[in-house]
Amino acid sequence: MSVDINQLIIVFTAYIIAAGSPGPSNMRIMGVAMNDGRKAGLAIASGVVSGSIFWGLMAATGVSAILKTYPGAIVGLQIFGGLYLLFLAFKAARAAAAPDKPVTQDNARIAPSMAALYRRGLVMHLMNPKSILAWIALMSLGLGSQASTTGVVIILAGCAVLSVTIFCGYAIVFSTGPMVRLYRRARRWIEGVLAISFGLAGLKLLLSRL
C-alpha cells in the first residue's frame, strides 16, 4: 500500500513541535548538560529517546486500544508520573536552595553515572502519559483507517530519527562553553525554574482526574 507523503509531513511536523517544545524532559536534558557536561546530557537524552520510541512501539502495536478500553491504566500512569515529577521538583528546589560552591569544589563533585542518568531519562519519559497520548494522536493522524505496515514502520523510523536529533541536540547545544558559563552564573535561577516547571507539571497530572 502506498504511503501518503503529505500525511507523513504532517505527522513529522507535529512530532517536531511536540518533542522540541519546552517540557520536563527537554528542561532536564538542558540542566544536566549545562551542569555535568555533554556526555551526561547525552546519557539522559538517550533515556528520553528510548522512552519515546517505546511509547511509539506501544501505540503502533495496539496498546493504544487497550489504554482506551481501560482508562484506569492512564489514571495510574498519571498518578505515578505526577509523583515522579514532584520528586524531580523537590530535587531541583533543593539544588536551587544550596549555596554556590567554588569552581574547584564543584569540579570535584561526583557526577551521576551514565547508567543512572539514562535510567532517569527513561523513567521520566515513561511516567509521562502525554507521551503515549501524543503517539496515539500521531498514529491516528498518520494512518487513520488505512493503516499499513509500511506506514507504521516509516512513521516510527522517522520519529526515532527526529527524537535522537531533537533530544541529543539539546544535550549538545546546552553543553557548550557559553551555556556552561551561563549555568554557573544563573544556576540557582535555572534550578528554580526547573523546580517550578516540574512541580506544576506534576500537580497538573495529579489534579487532572479531580
Side-chain angles (χ1 to χ4, degrees):
M1 183 180 295
S2 61
V3 179
D4 190 334
I5 301 300
N6 291 328
Q7 284 297 101
L8 290 179
I9 293 175
I10 293 173
V11 170
F12 293 149
T13 301
Y15 184 83
I16 290 172
I17 294 173
S21 59
S25 296
N26 286 334
M27 294 190 71
R28 186 71 274 175
I29 291 171
M30 291 161 51
V32 169
M34 288 188 290
N35 190 36
D36 296 312
R38 181 165 300 175
K39 288 181 63 176
L42 289 173
I44 196 169
S46 298
V48 172
V49 169
S50 298
S52 179
I53 294 174
F54 172 83
W55 281 130
L57 290 171
M58 293 298 99
T61 54
V63 173
S64 59
I66 297 176
L67 292 176
K68 288 180 179 178
T69 304
Y70 301 100
I74 288 291
V75 174
L77 199 60
Q78 285 179 316
I79 293 173
F80 282 111
L83 292 175
Y84 186 70
L85 286 172
L86 289 179
F87 170 71
L88 293 179
F90 169 75
K91 291 187 65 176
R94 187 172 60 180
D100 292 323
K101 300 176 182 178
V103 174
T104 53
Q105 185 178 352
D106 187 63
N107 289 338
R109 183 180 64 86
I110 300 176
S113 68
M114 299 299 105
L117 288 167
Y118 174 85
R119 288 194 299 270
R120 188 181 302 173
L122 177 63
V123 171
M124 180 169 57
H125 215 63
L126 290 180
M127 289 294 101
N128 185 1
K130 290 184 179 179
S131 300
I132 182 62
L133 295 177
W135 271 106
I136 291 173
L138 284 173
M139 286 299 176
S140 300
L141 179 65
L143 300 176
S145 60
Q146 301 181 354
S148 68
T149 302
T150 301
V152 170
V153 171
I154 291 176
I155 288 175
L156 285 176
C159 289
V161 172
L162 291 173
S163 180
V164 172
T165 303
I166 293 169
F167 295 123
C168 292
Y170 268 100
I172 293 172
V173 169
F174 284 89
S175 62
T176 56
M179 290 298 177
V180 172
R181 289 191 291 272
L182 171 64
Y183 179 84
R184 292 192 181 280
R185 290 197 301 268
R187 178 191 65 81
R188 302 180 76 170
W189 285 99
I190 292 172
E191 293 291 348
V193 170
L194 285 174
I196 294 173
S197 300
F198 289 146
L200 290 176
L203 289 174
K204 184 178 179 180
L205 283 179
L206 291 174
L207 299 177
S208 61
R209 306 304 301 183
L210 298 180

